[in-house]
Every structure is written in structure tokens, then in C-alpha cells.
Amino acid sequence: MHIEKKTYPADLSEAEWQLIIPHLPPVSLVGRPRHYSWRSIINGICYVLRTGCQWRYVPKEYGSWQAVYRGFTKLGLAFFQQLNEWLAVEVPLEAGREAQPSAAVIDAQTIKASPTGSFHGYDAGKKTKAACAIF
């Protein structure tokens, strides 16, 4: 009897996994060998981040919740920040664009205020009197 592993929408695709492999820490020859693969652990971490569930509710397909949490703490926040920074440069380059954006868009919004509101102004584009939104 063949049992298929259940997959979840948060699981990494093969292409995504191939991008992550070079950034994983090297195999340590010290200590006990890992029981679960890095792919399974990272899929478990993605599941927690995507669903917002508690570590104890990680599905068994990823391994024990303790193993997934231990993998998360071993990788650390720095791993995910470095991966994010690398992808922020790599993805635009792969799409044929420059690594750094050349333009930005700032959106403004006019909001109505009560007659006793403090800051009032006139939005010439919308031809309305409204409170100034200061963020």
C-alpha cells in the first residue's frame, strides 16, 4: 500500500526550493544527525507563517512540531532576512529589470473631517474641503 504525502498551499515548489538550497547552512559533522530534511522543516515554517497557527499545530507531514521549531530557531531571523534581501535583487534581474527600482509612487488621500476638526485644507484636484492627513 502506497501512502501519498499530503501537500499544503504553503509548501515550496521545486523551483522555489532550488533557489533556497544554496543559502542553507552547511551540514554539521558535530552532534546528532538530522531526522527530517531541510525541505520538510522549511515547509513547516512556511505553514506556520502562512496560517498563523501555533507551533504545536504543525501537521505531522512536516515532522514533529519540535523539529520544525528547532529548525526555525537554528536558521534564525538573519537567514530569512538575507534570503529576502537576495530575492529582492535576484527576482527583478531575472525578469530583465534593474535590481534597484528607478521610480516610486506616493498616493495621497483626502479625508472628510467634522466641522470642529483641527487641520483643514482645500484639495484642488477633488475640489473639496477636507482635513489634512498627516502620517
Side-chain angles (χ1 to χ4, degrees), residues 10 15 31 48 54 68 83 87 90 99 116 127:
V48 170
Q54 296 175 0
V68 176
L83 190 63
L87 287 171
E90 190 63 29
T116 60
K127 297 184 171 69

Side-chain angles (χ1 to χ4, degrees), residues 76-135:
L77 185 58
F79 168 79
F80 293 103
Q81 287 175 335
Q82 289 171 353
L83 190 63
N84 186 41
E85 289 169 6
W86 180 78
L87 287 171
V89 172
E90 190 63 29
V91 169
L93 288 176
E94 195 172 296
R97 299 188 313 254
E98 292 183 25
Q100 298 296 322
S102 59
V105 176
I106 298 175
D107 189 18
Q109 180 178 356
T110 304
I111 53 174
K112 299 273 185 194
S114 66
T116 60
S118 56
F119 299 105
H120 287 269
Y122 182 75
D123 187 339
K126 296 180 184 174
K127 297 184 171 69
T128 60
K129 185 177 178 183
C132 297
I134 302 172
F135 298 102

